[in-house]
Amino acid sequence: MDRIRFLRTVALGFLALLAACGGDAAAGVRVAVVPKGTQNEFWKAIHAGARRAAAELGVGIEWQGPQPEGDREAQIRVVENVLAMGVQGLVLAPVDEVALVPAVEDAARAGVPTVVIDSGLRTDRRVSMIATDNHAGGRLAARRLGELLGGKGRIVMLRFLEGSASTTAREAGFREELAAAFPQVQVLSDNQYGGNHERALSTSESLLLAHRDLDGAFCPNESTTLGMLLALRAAGLAGRVKFVGFDSSDQLIDGLAQGHIHGLVLQDPVQMGYLGVRAMVQHLRGEPVAAAQNTELVLATPENRAEPRIAGLLRPDLSSLGR
Ligand code: BDR
């Protein structure tokens, strides 16, 4: 362990000891919740679920996330910052399944446990993993798009971010299911990364210019789906190109209503945030916690979007945020 990490571990150990002595009894348990970002609607719903659990369980949460989504170094700094505040536990959605491992393992050595939510992390130094079955989500998207195309046509897949375990699993699930169930569908591009929605828009515009004969498209998260939607509209292709994306926001719901988006794979971020904080509190209280829990996965279409279960996932309840 290099000198910096050694000093950081000692400092964290001291702070954890301090918090354990005074924090639990005096100031009450505080749990840090660190998302991948704070811009996307998805993370607002995670926050709402975390706050609901904190209120029910009588603990405090420290909500801090990097801006914009996907900045590995920024998230590492946020984790170090909340640990230095003396929290008793960390609930983390890792931007990168490798880059965040040292900070989480240092925290564990200093006595601060981690619950991972949303996106995997390559360490066993974690209390639980609570996420969507992302590989299954990719397969669900592939079945929808393959069926819309009648089993033939030319498509593109715009990826999100290298190192993002959640979206990488969706991309893999999509490619595997498409090849197995719809071998006649030709993938013209699957190696471009969109990142946040501004960059996803410009990358999508380039893809549409390069492939004017496109029949379909898949995107694995909110920002890439929004970028592709805006590019399809700008190119006059919206509605003609069969388009399946992930997640929800007012703009994506509008795309579904207009028939510019033909499928949205939805998750349940409110429940994910809720279960993440609840698992951490149960662990801190010495109660048993499941090593892994999957949350809801469902396909929204222009046809089923008004059904109560779908509508509730398209527009999550953010009331615990005071909205
Ligand atoms: C998206 O990133 C993923 O990690 C989340 O599951 C969500 O789909 C938010 O931008």
Side-chain angles (χ1 to χ4, degrees):
M1 179 191 298
D2 63 44
R3 179 171 160 67
I4 301 290
R5 283 185 61 186
F6 172 76
L7 290 173
R8 183 167 66 186
T9 301
V10 168
L12 286 172
F14 175 71
L15 287 167
L17 187 66
L18 200 64
C21 296
D24 202 355
V29 169
R30 283 190 72 70
V31 172
V33 182
V34 178
K36 285 186 174 181
T38 52
Q39 282 172 324
N40 283 323
E41 288 306 304
F42 182 88
W43 303 114
K44 292 170 188 161
I46 290 274
H47 191 188
R51 280 175 60 102
R52 189 188 300 167
E56 276 181 21
L57 296 164
V59 298
I61 61 167
E62 181 62 40
W63 172 261
Q64 284 192 30
Q67 282 286 357
E69 181 160 344
D71 185 334
R72 298 168 179 84
E73 290 310 312
Q75 191 178 51
I76 290 168
R77 286 194 299 276
V78 168
V79 169
E80 291 171 347
N81 179 41
V82 296
L83 292 174
M85 292 169 74
V87 295
Q88 281 75 43
L90 171 63
V91 176
L92 173 68
V95 165
D96 185 294
E97 61 185 341
V98 174
L100 271 293
V101 168
V104 165
E105 294 190 343
D106 288 350
R109 275 188 284 275
V112 180
T114 295
V115 166
V116 175
I117 60 170
D118 175 66
S119 203
L121 187 65
R122 292 193 191 176
T123 175
D124 56 7
R125 302 297 299 268
R126 66 188 189 205
V127 169
S128 184
M129 167 74 179
I130 298 164
T132 305
D133 181 341
N134 288 300
H135 195 272
R139 296 199 306 272
L140 183 58
R143 287 196 296 276
R144 173 66 175 170
L145 189 55
E147 287 158 8
L148 286 165
L149 294 171
K152 58 188 181 301
R154 293 165 300 280
I155 72 153
V156 294
M157 174 174 79
L158 174 64
R159 295 179 183 269
F160 171 53
L161 179 76
E162 287 184 277
S164 163
S166 56
T167 46
T168 301
R170 297 168 198 170
E171 295 151 9
F174 178 84
R175 292 293 278 111
E176 288 166 27
E177 182 72 14
L178 199 74
F182 303 100
Q184 302 300 314
V185 175
Q186 187 188 354
V187 180
L188 301 175
S189 169
D190 69 352
N191 63 357
Q192 299 297 303
Y193 288 87
N196 62 37
H197 88 261
E198 292 89 358
R199 196 157 65 84
L201 170 56
S202 60
T203 310
S204 299
E205 286 170 335
S206 303
L207 279 171
L208 297 180
L209 278 174
H211 304 294
R212 293 299 300 174
D213 57 347
L214 204 58
D215 302 301
F218 168 62
C219 294
N221 87 316
E222 180 179 335
S223 55
T224 51
T225 301
L226 178 56
M228 181 62 77
L229 172 64
L230 298 176
L232 286 167
R233 284 175 171 167
L237 296 172
R240 195 177 70 69
V241 172
K242 300 303 183 192
F243 179 31
V244 177
F246 241 89
D247 295 333
S248 182
S249 67
D250 289 344
Q251 289 174 287
L252 299 188
I253 292 168
D254 177 64
L256 208 56
Q258 304 262 5
H260 296 165
I261 296 177
H262 304 88
L264 281 175
V265 180
L266 300 181
Q267 307 177 71
D268 189 348
V270 172
Q271 183 68 350
M272 205 184 285
Y274 178 92
L275 291 177
V277 170
R278 191 178 74 172
M280 177 51 73
V281 173
Q282 287 172 330
H283 174 74
L284 292 174
R285 290 176 177 168
E287 298 164 13
V289 176
Q293 295 180 72
N294 278 147
T295 46
E296 182 89 77
L297 177 72
V298 68
L299 180 73
T301 68
E303 296 75 27
N304 74 6
R305 61 197 169 91
E307 291 172 17
R309 177 170 167 243
I310 304 293
L313 292 172
L314 280 168
R315 292 190 192 283
D317 173 8
L318 304 184
S319 56
S320 66
L321 297 180
R323 295 187 184 177

